[in-house]
Amino acid sequence: MPSHHWITDYPVVFLGLLLLPVAVVAWSWRIFPTGRVIWPLAATAAMSFLVALEIGFLPVLIVLDSAILALLIFDLSSMIGRSQIIVERQVQRVASVGVHHPVTLHIENHSKRTLRLEVRDDCPNEFSMTPQSHSFLLHPGQRAEAMHKLRATKRGSFQLDFVDLRRVSRLGFWCRYIRKPVQSTIHVYPDMQQMSKYSLLARTNRLSLMGVRRTRKVGQDNNFERLRDYMLDDNYRHIDWRSTARRQKLTVKQFQTDQRQRVIFLLDCGRMMTNQYQKLSLLDYALNSVLMLSYVALKQGDSVGLLSFSDEIHEFVPLRSGPSQMNRLLHAGFNRFPKVSQSRFDQAFLYLSTRCRRRSLVVLVTNFVDELSASQVASYMSNLGGQHLPLVALLRDHRLFDAADHPHAEDEVLYRSAAAAQILTWRHDVLRRLSRAGVLTVDAFPEDLTSPLINRYLEVKAKHLL
């Protein structure tokens, strides 16, 4: 039997044995073939077919395989060596949910070769990235920038650990994957655009567009605060004509309220706040409303605090006033998520009684569908009436209201509608019990909670209930 007979019978095995050392070297350096390597392999396969038909083509096959092997090894040699690529990431630490967050990657080639690179940044599952990758041709010593945007769908603290590089060889037969460790931390906070919207509408006296009603105040706050330039929406009766004549510019008096209040929020983070609507949990909606009302109260000069709890006390932000308090509230709640555990109202109110002794507006934001939780809330909030002014903000469940509002002739749907209606009737009775006990109430769907909560706060402030 000729020594070359197995070559003609198994040409693919022969080529595989030749490429085995190359494959070992490539795997150790994380180098893999690209789609372009199909063409020389297709030429080898075609020649092997001719050898199977006519043995005279064997020398041509050997020469062709040797040439292809030499070509692949030559192209592979351009990839082997120490990677001299420097990658840095420039990103702001603070981002907002649903808002595009810019990220800049700086890539520098410290090698003596021209590199063709494809760059892809780390992207957690809670983010979307645009664009997905960047392509560069970097000459020796050249520096390039890659800019993309991250969009978070969930608040919290996230870590960006690495940057992936895909380097292509000179002839394009090989590509090498390089992972550069680049550590960055992004804190994703709730979207605060509603605060800017509130400020703009407040300056132009158009808060009704946000659902905030104008509350008639008992008496009038006439404490002079400062003089400022006249604006188009200012009351002409507040113009200070002496200052206007002296400055040769319309000047108005600005007044401040003589009432300073204390508002502390009890934020339930238990299992009843895990329900979702439009991909957001009830706790997300509650936190947005709490932050919005905190912003309004701080603008009024009031002191604001926060206590978040479930089966344990999570965060406590003491009562303070001033712009810096808003940052404390944001940092305390941005990384807080609902727990699948029963909330300990007794523990939360005991903690509150030891930390807040001065009369305050206590706002409990929660949800319940069982008698045990409802009786605990009613009992503890009613007992606060002697020292504090209690307010319960109760979140509605869309699925419960939809089931009660859309009955059907089918037995299963009809029974479900009847059960939902019974729960809503019981829920209404609980709210009436709270009102008779002197507890203020707000009952709203999660996406509509902000406006009625602010209206109730403004009503308390206008009627001097504290």
Side-chain angles (χ1 to χ4, degrees), residues 5-26:
H5 188 267
W6 68 276
I7 301 178
T8 59
D9 291 341
Y10 307 101
V12 177
V13 176
F14 173 67
L15 183 61
L17 291 175
L18 292 177
L19 292 177
L20 182 61
V22 179
V24 172
V25 174

Side-chain angles (χ1 to χ4, degrees), residues 149-161:
K149 294 181 179 179
L150 294 175
R151 186 176 184 271
T153 58
K154 186 178 181 181
R155 56 184 173 79
S157 179
F158 300 94
Q159 191 79 15
L160 305 183
D161 298 321

Side-chain angles (χ1 to χ4, degrees), residues 328-340:
R328 299 187 187 97
L329 295 173
L330 281 169
H331 190 72
F334 86 99
N335 202 24
R336 180 59 53 204
F337 302 97
K339 292 180 61 178
V340 187

Side-chain angles (χ1 to χ4, degrees), residues 28-49:
S28 62
W29 289 88
R30 294 194 66 191
I31 302 175
F32 305 95
T34 64
R36 186 174 293 186
V37 79
I38 294 177
W39 299 109
L41 294 181
T44 300
M47 185 56 64
S48 300
F49 179 74

Side-chain angles (χ1 to χ4, degrees), residues 26 244 351:
T244 298
Y351 192 92

